[in-house]
Amino acid sequence: MTTNGQSAGARRPAEPVRLRTPDRPPTLPDWMLDPPPPRRTLGVRVADAMAALPGAGWLRRRWWAWQRRQRLYQRFPNTVKILAMLVSFVVILVMVMFAYGLYSQA
């Protein structure tokens, strides 16, 4: 700590950050220092072929818009909960009436 309250090793904001260059060259092999470009896999080739079809860009943008859409249960959560409760009540009522009808035939 210095007398002005800053630590002795703290960098002042006016000092530019300098990168330290290594003292000796790296010992890595050439293929690791400058690797070859990645090979085109079958999936990349098929994707490129599909992208070249007419209308592929429009279809891709429509798919992205469909994926980004906001679902009804996200926009109106309480309304969807109430409707789900009513639908489940009707389904349970129909199942109970169906079971009652089956047992009343015997």
Side-chain angles (χ1 to χ4, degrees):
M1 244 344 184
T2 60
T3 56
N4 63 358
Q6 293 182 351
S7 63
R11 184 177 65 84
R12 291 182 209 89
E15 290 181 24
V17 177
R18 292 187 183 92
L19 297 176
R20 186 180 67 83
T21 57
D23 298 333
R24 46 193 164 117
T27 58
L28 295 173
D30 289 337
W31 66 269
M32 290 180 87
L33 292 173
D34 188 23
R39 290 186 302 193
R40 291 169 42 90
T41 61
L42 179 63
V44 171
R45 291 178 184 158
V46 168
D48 288 345
M50 296 297 285
L53 293 174
W58 175 83
L59 186 62
R60 184 173 51 250
R61 286 188 296 276
R62 292 303 312 148
W63 176 252
W64 290 343
W66 174 259
Q67 292 298 314
R68 285 190 307 263
R69 79 188 193 288
Q70 196 174 26
R71 276 69 169 182
L72 280 177
Y73 71 86
Q74 293 170 335
R75 286 190 291 174
F76 309 107
N78 292 334
T79 305
V80 170
K81 289 174 189 174
I82 291 171
L83 287 175
M85 185 184 66
L86 292 175
V87 167
S88 63
F89 174 75
V90 169
V91 168
I92 291 171
L93 185 63
V94 166
M95 289 170 57
V96 167
M97 290 176 63
F98 181 71
Y100 181 73
L102 284 178
Y103 282 113
S104 66
Q105 288 181 356

